[in-house]
Amino acid sequence: MAATRSTLHRLVVAGGVLALALAGGATGCSRPAGEAPRAVKVIQNIGSDTMVNLAQAWAEEYQQVAPDVSVEVSGGGSGLGIAALLNGTADIANTSRKIEPEESERLVAQNGRPPREFLVGFDAVAIYVHRDNPLEEISLEDLHDIYAEGGPLDRWSQLGVRHIPRARTDRIIRVSRQNNSGTYHYFRDVVCGKKTDFKLGSLDMNGSKDVVELVARTPAAIGYSGLGYQTPQVKLLRVSRKRGQSGVLPTVATTLDQSYPIARPMFMYTPGEPPEHVRRFLDWVLSPAGQKMVELTGYVPLKAPEVSP
């Protein structure tokens, strides 16, 4: 019994010491009396589906740089981002196209100040087919005839493709984007022509990722989407400006030297001069650290990455 009481006594003493230590630790970690918690500033970043993966990567990385700032990202298309600037629900609009003059005029009329434009990188619009499709390259003229209203190409055999494994049809299944997408407008202007509409009957997807996923599931499909959405289940086609010319694959180098014919800038817009916390975030996006994220997520930075000797 004496041994038991002695053991209990030691446990009680040890427990008391532990409790005091924990209490002291808790006191040491607590906020000093009278100090208010630091407020987190939120940046609403809305727009281009092409840019949403990149924007999310920026947001997550910037959280490490500025823990008191939370960048909340959502997609929906370039048009939705600009609309969010107009209705005051976005601090930054991501767009894969330049803002239209009438959109800029509406922002001036509403806010009394023009939007600020920030060029943040480049994106190559890649042409995707199923990985089993034997086609290796295509011209802008072919793409026009596939996608543009009145274009005569609607079968793979017209492009010399006689057999696609597991394809149930020779018909070219066109995958496109919805018309609130900056990629939709850019592709239409460059491939179809600014005064030419798309053919009816395409499968119009909400997001860039959706286009690639549908092409990956559909052996007879062709689609266009950002280079950053490439997966092993699809094939990138080399693209030439005219039939008979050698095609060019989309890469950082071919985007920057403009030899790849379907590449465009990516922008961020603010409704006038941004407040300080938004400006600091944009400065970081344009810094070497922010531009490194552009490269890591499969897009093209403003300058070619430096190669270590």
Side-chain angles (χ1 to χ4, degrees), residues 9 13-14 26-27 63 76 110 119 160 176 209 219 249 253 288 292 296:
H9 176 72
V13 171
T27 302
Q63 187 75 58
Q110 184 161 311
L119 174 64
S176 186
K209 182 180 179 183
L249 278 174
K292 184 65 176 177
L296 291 175

Side-chain angles (χ1 to χ4, degrees), residues 47-300:
S48 169
D49 275 308
T50 295
M51 295 173 63
V52 74
N53 285 353
L54 172 58
Q56 190 61 51
W58 274 331
E60 292 172 4
E61 189 69 16
Y62 193 66
Q63 187 75 58
Q64 308 302 314
V65 176
D68 59 333
V69 176
S70 175
V71 182
E72 298 186 358
V73 175
S74 59
S78 299
L80 184 64
I82 292 170
L85 283 188
L86 282 163
N87 64 31
T89 57
D91 299 296
I92 300 172
N94 298 333
T95 74
S96 55
R97 62 170 175 85
K98 285 186 76 70
I99 194 168
E100 299 287 349
E102 57 269 26
E103 293 168 332
S104 183
E105 289 167 6
R106 288 174 62 194
L107 277 165
V108 171
Q110 184 161 311
N111 300 322
R113 49 189 180 164
R116 281 292 313 275
E117 178 183 281
F118 299 86
L119 174 64
V120 296
F122 298 94
D123 178 48
V125 178
I127 305 302
Y128 292 102
V129 295
H130 192 274
R131 65 181 178 183
D132 293 336
N133 191 318
L135 192 68
E136 297 292 340
E137 63 181 84
I138 198 165
S139 69
L140 289 182
E141 293 172 332
D142 292 329
L143 289 169
H144 173 277
D145 288 351
I146 290 170
Y147 276 97
E149 189 175 51
L153 289 180
D154 58 10
R155 296 191 175 275
W156 286 110
S157 55
Q158 292 173 282
L159 291 169
V161 177
R162 301 300 177 189
H163 174 67
I164 302 173
R166 294 183 292 114
R168 298 181 179 181
T169 179
D170 181 40
R171 183 172 63 88
I172 298 172
I173 298 173
R174 289 173 286 113
V175 184
S176 186
R177 291 291 308 279
Q178 293 189 335
N179 63 9
N180 65 343
S181 158
T183 306
Y184 169 98
H185 288 280
Y186 174 78
F187 190 84
R188 182 196 62 191
D189 291 351
V190 171
V191 172
C192 301
K194 291 186 177 182
K195 296 183 179 181
T196 305
D197 286 329
F198 282 99
K199 286 180 187 175
L200 296 177
S202 60
L203 301 176
D204 299 336
M205 310 306 290
N206 284 323
S208 301
K209 182 180 179 183
D210 300 327
V211 170
V212 176
E213 288 180 346
L214 181 56
V215 172
R217 297 194 304 268
T218 312
I222 187 170
Y224 59 90
S225 189
L227 178 60
Y229 288 87
Q230 181 184 8
T231 71
Q233 285 70 45
V234 291
K235 180 195 289 186
L236 287 176
L237 295 184
R238 296 192 299 272
V239 180
S240 63
R241 298 182 188 278
K242 294 183 178 296
R243 293 186 182 106
Q245 294 180 346
S246 296
V248 177
L249 278 174
T251 65
V252 170
T254 60
T255 298
L256 289 175
D257 69 15
Q258 300 182 9
S259 58
Y260 183 72
I262 325 176
R264 44 45 187 302
M266 300 185 296
F267 300 101
M268 285 177 152
Y269 286 95
T270 59
E273 192 63 35
E276 183 62 27
H277 68 290
V278 176
R279 180 73 219 203
R280 285 198 301 269
F281 171 63
L282 289 165
D283 287 344
W284 178 84
V285 163
L286 296 171
S287 74
Q291 288 296 294
K292 184 65 176 177
M293 299 305 299
V294 178
E295 180 189 0
L296 291 175
T297 49
Y299 300 87
V300 180

